[in-house]
């Protein structure tokens, strides 16, 4: 899901086999549940590592200078966020340490997106970012994780759709990355993240809350790109909460619709 503003050739999920994902920025369906305890529930552990539940969101941009419509009619517009730092390669991620960190950061965003609550989109995401021989295992594991019971636990309908009158929020924002192991074609990266998860709307039983967690990914260089071999997640490090006043349900829903997610995490 490498998402460079400057990469129009990579297309949406899947595409050329190089990884640059894009989830519809206006879509406000599925993922992550309210409290920090819910975050455990929503932890997606990769195939080799045990799955605690599900993870945290993705947008992937084509041309960063172009704005994306948040919808039609009165719906607010969202726009892509320009990348910074060393410019990525034209397709896929660079075959070096920074490329691996960029891949891990963007994959954290993708795996935590609301698109993970839709079977077809979830499979597309997994096929784009997982090593080919592990895709089927990941799909099987996550199909069990995103169950009707799980959807209800995070405030959604059993089929993963958002209840009428509400806005589902599931976003992950990478704060930083570090490499813990590295060889020519294998790199383990930790991604420190913050996340938003919940259902915005009056009388929501699962209001939008924030959480902090660290994702560890083992990546392999396959088909000229970094792909996930294993994935795990743990809580923290979490800062001391500030004195910010919580926004109303309407304010939160409006913010989610107006502010598009980042399309390039690093």
């Amino acid at each position: 899901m490498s998402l460079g503003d400057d990469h129009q050739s990579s297309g949406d999920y899947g595409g050329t086999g190089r990884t640059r994902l894009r989830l519809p920025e206006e879509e406000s369906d599925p993922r992550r549940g309210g409290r920090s305890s819910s975050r455990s529930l929503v932890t997606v552990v990769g195939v080799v590592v045990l799955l605690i539940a599900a993870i945290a969101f993705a947008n992937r941009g084509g041309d960063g200078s172009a704005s994306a419509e948040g919808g039609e009619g009165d719906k607010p517009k969202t726009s892509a966020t320009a990348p910074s730092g060393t410019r990525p390669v034209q397709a896929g991620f660079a075959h070096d340490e920074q490329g691996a960190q960029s891949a891990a950061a963007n994959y954290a965003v993708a795996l935590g997106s609301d698109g993970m609550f839709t079977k077809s989109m979830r499979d597309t995401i997994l096929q784009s970012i997982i090593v080919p021989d592990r895709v089927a295992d990941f799909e099987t594991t996550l199909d069990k994780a995103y169950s009707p019971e799980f959807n209800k636990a995070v405030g959604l309908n059993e089929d993963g759709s958002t209840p009428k009158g509400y806005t589902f929020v599931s976003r992950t924002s990478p704060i930083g990355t570090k490499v813990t192991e590295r060889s020519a074609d294998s790199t383990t990266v930790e991604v420190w993240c913050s996340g938003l998860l919940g259902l915005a709307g009056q009388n929501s039983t699962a209001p939008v809350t924030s959480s902090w967690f660290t994702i560890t990914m083992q990546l392999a260089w396959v088909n000229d790109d970094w792909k996930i071999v294993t994935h795990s997640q743990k809580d923290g490090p979490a800062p001391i909460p500030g004195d910010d006043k919580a926004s109303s349900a309407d304010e939160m829903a409006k913010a989610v619709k107006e502010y598009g997610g980042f399309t390039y995490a690093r």
Side-chain angles (χ1 to χ4, degrees), residues 124-152:
T124 301
I125 293 172
L126 296 177
Q127 289 160 13
S128 298
I129 68 179
I130 306 298
V131 292
D133 61 355
R134 285 295 182 73
V135 170
D137 291 333
F138 268 76
E139 288 178 351
T140 298
T141 301
L142 294 182
D143 285 348
K144 293 177 181 177
Y146 288 92
S147 64
E149 295 74 22
F150 174 71
N151 290 334
K152 288 182 65 177

Side-chain angles (χ1 to χ4, degrees), residues 1-3 58 93 101-110 263-266:
M1 108 165 216
S2 205
L3 334 269
F93 292 95
Q101 292 182 72
S102 292
N106 283 281
Y107 295 166
V109 172
T263 61
Y264 193 76
R266 184 180 190 280

Side-chain angles (χ1 to χ4, degrees), residues 102-217:
S102 292
N106 283 281
Y107 295 166
V109 172
L111 286 169
S113 68
D114 55 11
M116 292 292 287
F117 285 80
T118 304
K119 167 66 176 170
S120 60
M121 188 169 290
R122 179 169 67 244
D123 287 351
T124 301
I125 293 172
L126 296 177
Q127 289 160 13
S128 298
I129 68 179
I130 306 298
V131 292
D133 61 355
R134 285 295 182 73
V135 170
D137 291 333
F138 268 76
E139 288 178 351
T140 298
T141 301
L142 294 182
D143 285 348
K144 293 177 181 177
Y146 288 92
S147 64
E149 295 74 22
F150 174 71
N151 290 334
K152 288 182 65 177
V154 298
L156 298 173
N157 296 321
E158 290 189 358
D159 63 358
S161 61
T162 303
K164 186 177 180 179
Y166 292 88
T167 300
F168 184 70
V169 185
S170 179
R171 292 189 186 180
T172 289
S173 298
I175 304 299
T177 60
K178 76 172 179 179
V179 171
T180 56
E181 293 183 31
R182 174 158 157 65
S183 64
D185 294 326
S186 178
T187 304
T188 300
V189 182
E190 292 185 1
V191 187
W192 181 31
C193 305
S194 65
L196 295 176
L197 176 62
L199 207 59
Q202 294 299 326
N203 304 317
S204 172
T205 58
V208 180
T209 59
S210 60
S211 59
W212 294 82
F213 50 97
T214 299
I215 297 172
T216 300
M217 295 181 198

Side-chain angles (χ1 to χ4, degrees), residues 67-91:
S67 18
E69 295 286 339
E72 292 154 12
D74 303 340
K75 290 187 179 179
K77 295 180 179 180
T78 59
S79 57
T81 300
S84 59
T86 302
R87 177 175 296 183
V89 291
Q90 183 64 24

Side-chain angles (χ1 to χ4, degrees), residues 7-113:
H7 314 294
Q8 302 179 29
S9 63
S10 44
D12 291 358
Y13 312 101
T16 62
R18 307 266 186 143
T19 316
R20 288 256 135 112
L21 297 176
R22 180 189 182 101
L23 291 180
E25 295 184 11
E26 69 273 16
E27 196 167 6
S28 53
D29 261 38
R31 208 253 80 160
R32 205 169 311 254
R35 301 127 204 144
S36 136
S37 58
S38 271
R39 163 65 60 183
S40 311
L41 180 63
V42 218
T43 299
V44 165
V45 177
V47 155
V48 175
V49 190
L50 212 57
L51 169 99
I52 299 181
I55 328 174
F57 352 27
N59 299 337
R60 178 319 244 208
D63 183 20
S65 62
S67 18
E69 295 286 339
E72 292 154 12
D74 303 340
K75 290 187 179 179
K77 295 180 179 180
T78 59
S79 57
T81 300
S84 59
T86 302
R87 177 175 296 183
V89 291
Q90 183 64 24
F93 292 95
H95 190 188
D96 56 21
E97 185 170 309
Q98 178 169 311
Q101 292 182 72
S102 292
N106 283 281
Y107 295 166
V109 172
L111 286 169
S113 68

